[in-house]
Amino acid sequence: QVQLVESGGGLVQAGGSLRLSCAASGSIGSFYAMAWHRQAPGKQREFVAFIIISGSDTNYADSVKGRFTISRDNAKNTLYLQMNSLKPEDTGVYYCSAKPPGRNWENGYWGQGTQVTVSS
């Protein structure tokens, strides 16, 4: 069973930056893709960004394009999310997830989340 542990969240002012990390207990090379999702208070969880592990192709939600960058370090089995120009609407719990081959995202692995709060 793979465990994913997020870190790097916190309180930041609007316009600031944070870098989230997601450490996997096993090799991320075994996954097809990894992603970040977030859930704001009172809202449904939403997709933020994903990366294909083998080819490094990425995709972003329109709301974060140009501000967030997803990356991974296979040697460290870690996924990152660099968040710049943060806005109050970026506030929420950020979750890391991993999609093994043949499974959908919901049946993959998920971390416990890390809180990001952006003050105006």
Side-chain angles (χ1 to χ4, degrees), residues 25-65:
S25 61
S27 172
I28 66 172
S30 65
F31 301 133
Y32 169 72
M34 296 186 73
W36 289 97
H37 293 73
R38 68 187 180 189
Q39 187 167 19
K43 295 187 177 181
Q44 288 189 329
R45 188 171 61 195
E46 64 175 1
F47 162 77
V48 174
F50 80 74
I51 184 167
I52 304 299
I53 296 302
S54 62
S56 297
D57 288 346
T58 58
N59 192 27
Y60 297 89
D62 287 343
S63 59
V64 307
K65 278 181 182 176

Side-chain angles (χ1 to χ4, degrees), residues 4-7 19-24 28 33-37 49-53 58 69-74 76-82 95-98 105:
L4 303 176
V5 179
E6 301 96 335
S7 62
R19 187 174 83 152
L20 305 183
S21 299
C22 171
I28 66 172
M34 296 186 73
W36 289 97
H37 293 73
F50 80 74
I51 184 167
I52 304 299
I53 296 302
T58 58
T69 303
I70 189 171
S71 63
R72 86 282 186 267
D73 185 330
N74 285 26
K76 295 182 178 180
N77 293 316
T78 301
L79 178 74
Y80 301 100
L81 185 69
Q82 178 66 43
Y95 298 93
C96 167
S97 62
W105 287 104

